[in-house]
Amino acid sequence: MTATPLSPATTPATAAIEGRPAGHVLVEALVAQGIDTAFGVPGESYLAVLDGFHEHRERIRFIACRQEGGAAFMAEAQGKLSGRPGICFVTRGPGATNASIGLHTAFQDSTPMVLFVGQVASDQRDREAFQELDYRQMFGPGTLGMAKWVGEVQDADRLPEYVARAFHTAMQGRPGPVVLVLPEDMLTQRTRAPVLPRVQPAQAWPAPGALRDLRSLLLASQRPFVIAGGGGWDAESAKALQRFAENWQLPVGCGFRFQDTFDNRHPLYAGDVGIGINPRLAQRVKDADLVIALGVRLGEMTTGGYTLLTPPRPAQKLVHIHAGAEELGRVYAADLLLQASMATAAKALEALTAPPAVPWADAAAAAHADYEANHVAPPVAPLDLAVVMKTVQRLAPPDTVYTNGAGNYSGWLHRFVRYHGLQHHGRTQLAPTSGAMGYGVPAAVAAALLHPQRTVVNVAGDGDFLMTGQELATATGYGANRGAGRLVSLVVDNGSYGTIRMHQEREYPGRVSGSDLYNPDFAALARAYGWRAARVERTEDFEPAFAQALQAGAPMLIHLRLDSDVITSRTTLSAIREAARQAGR
């Protein structure tokens, strides 16, 4: 098909005869899928799409971000919050490579997302034209790739078909990211192809026979334990999970950075099964005679480096329920494998008839008591992050969304904030299981723009914040604080890459290399972006600063200056050094 130059918007009658530019059709297709916000960094390779956003600006908005990694993180957060694909647009070459971090995060976190990438014109392909890349090779779909599918649209008439397939693929089975490549000349072609209806993913139900087997395993158990998490959950499935746990009096732990899957205040909640796990909880998982893994992949972080459950055949009997068939049996030889969507699996489990009494009821209560006891920590002066996190939760509204990236600072957030279950307020935790630094700020900006009535609190480390801190400008430019909700960023500054420093002190005590940081005045930096700001160095100064942040006005950053000797909510550098000394290192 010969490319037709893009012209100004036509009348409906003319469009019916000549068709619409494919770039406009793409935007229409997104609107048909229920998308009202897309994130990205503009590029000349998809000018026709940007014109489509202008044409349909009353129905959908394009949020122009400051770097493609931040834009992709925002789209990933959008996917987590909505359950439907988050949308990101980037240009070819450097734009796509910058966005890859968000794509990898969506893949490891099982988050639906579609990344649209502008491409060189069709007649320039395979010449290493300006910024040309082969995205099928780059994003390599597969079990260890970065995308579930990579497609390239060569014919404008098939564009709606490709968009619908992208949405189906992103949501079917184990949710994940899809890449759709858009040649520049294709986007200017005119087409009369109609957009397709809103996509709804097919739901896989667990087999009745397998459910009977699961019930038999439960009846034969003395020390069962449930680990829930992963993608694909919604309010109804979270309610069904809670009723299943209540019917059988089962202790429930949440997988790494999926702590809002189950209400942390519930008497059957046992804690989060991830980095910095409560030692009592770790032992409880090891001692279980039956583990029901519901939606989690049972990856390295959730299994404590594959020590809580030892592959390939764990000591515990294992029931693994997951939406992706490719995930079942990949690492663990389970006693029972069930492929099912979380929405259907939880409802099926809820219907399992429980006996009048179970022998593990007291153990379930003890598991929750251990979780409650873990909220008590010795005081730390002059700035106690445990008190900071408890203060945040006490003052912030119950539907507050908490975001973070990667770093030891996140240990305080995960340990001392009690996440409400999905059934109450939807997602309240946005955090990368991929361990991607820089995720928290863009995720917070996205949450604030998508849900202006909800308060959003980002907790970031100093190294973590400076990877994507420029997205504070995006928040200011698009009015992230205009609704009833408030946007707050807490920057924990200990002058180091704390996680790396911790490992260095354990493996090479006293030999610091590459982990010290030179930091700016974070409060002054925030003010330059139009935010309010405060610097806090003592525990007693935090509450008034946070109370101010929850008042009307611009978003606010609170710079928390911490001694570099404080590493995690459980350890200090001095304790790590002493342990290394005693070990003879």
Side-chain angles (χ1 to χ4, degrees), residues 95-118:
T97 53
N98 281 342
S100 64
I101 187 172
L103 201 70
H104 179 252
T105 298
F107 193 93
Q108 289 226 324
D109 286 37
S110 301
T111 304
M113 173 180 167
V114 180
L115 175 68
F116 292 95
V117 181

Side-chain angles (χ1 to χ4, degrees), residues 205 226 228 233-248 250 252 261-263 266 268 294 341-352 421-424:
W205 283 84
V226 176
W233 292 90
D234 58 17
E236 290 305 311
S237 54
K239 289 178 185 177
L241 168 61
Q242 180 174 313
R243 288 190 286 264
F244 167 58
E246 292 169 346
N247 292 342
W248 288 83
L250 291 165
V252 179
T261 307
F262 195 84
D263 192 338
H266 195 280
L268 290 171
L294 183 54
S341 308
M342 292 306 100
T344 59
K347 291 176 183 177
L349 293 175
E350 177 192 6
L352 287 182
L422 276 164
Q423 66 267 39
H424 299 297

Side-chain angles (χ1 to χ4, degrees), residues 166-415:
F167 271 72
H168 269 295
T169 305
M171 292 188 289
Q172 297 280 104
R174 174 187 170 187
V178 166
V179 177
L180 210 53
V181 182
L182 309 168
E184 183 178 354
D185 54 331
M186 182 277 298
L187 291 172
T188 63
Q189 295 169 5
R190 290 187 173 273
T191 177
R192 291 188 293 274
V195 299
L196 297 177
R198 181 183 172 99
V199 166
Q200 294 295 345
Q203 302 289 344
W205 283 84
L211 291 170
R212 288 192 295 269
D213 292 343
L214 191 157
R215 184 174 184 274
S216 297
L217 287 169
L218 273 170
L219 291 173
S221 176
Q222 295 294 310
R223 299 177 304 281
F225 193 88
V226 176
I227 305 176
W233 292 90
D234 58 17
E236 290 305 311
S237 54
K239 289 178 185 177
L241 168 61
Q242 180 174 313
R243 288 190 286 264
F244 167 58
E246 292 169 346
N247 292 342
W248 288 83
Q249 287 298 292
L250 291 165
V252 179
C254 289
F256 177 56
R257 291 182 169 168
F258 288 107
Q259 289 168 252
D260 60 357
T261 307
F262 195 84
D263 192 338
N264 296 184
R265 303 163 300 168
H266 195 280
L268 290 171
Y269 182 65
D272 59 301
V273 185
I275 295 176
I277 187 173
N278 182 348
R280 288 181 177 269
L281 176 56
Q283 193 60 49
R284 196 174 296 278
V285 175
K286 290 179 179 179
D287 291 342
D289 60 1
L290 172 65
V291 171
I292 300 174
L294 183 54
V296 289
R297 293 192 300 113
L298 293 177
E300 179 187 357
M301 297 298 102
T302 297
T303 62
Y306 304 102
T307 60
L308 301 182
L309 290 91
T310 306
R313 186 71 176 175
Q316 310 93 326
K317 287 189 179 296
L318 175 62
V319 176
H320 197 181
I321 305 173
H322 201 275
E326 72 285 354
E327 198 61 40
L328 296 170
R330 187 165 116 182
V331 177
Y332 291 97
D335 296 88
L336 183 61
L337 299 173
L338 285 81
Q339 184 195 358
S341 308
M342 292 306 100
T344 59
K347 291 176 183 177
L349 293 175
E350 177 192 6
L352 287 182
T353 304
V358 293
W360 55 79
D362 289 344
H368 185 68
D370 288 343
Y371 166 72
E372 292 288 349
N374 197 41
H375 274 261
V376 179
V380 176
L383 181 58
D384 192 330
L385 287 184
V387 176
V388 165
M389 297 306 161
K390 291 179 181 181
T391 302
V392 168
Q393 185 147 62
R394 175 165 51 83
L395 297 181
D399 65 345
T400 294
V401 177
Y402 296 90
T403 78
N404 65 271
N408 274 345
Y409 70 89
S410 63
W412 282 277
L413 176 66
H414 297 338
R415 180 177 174 184

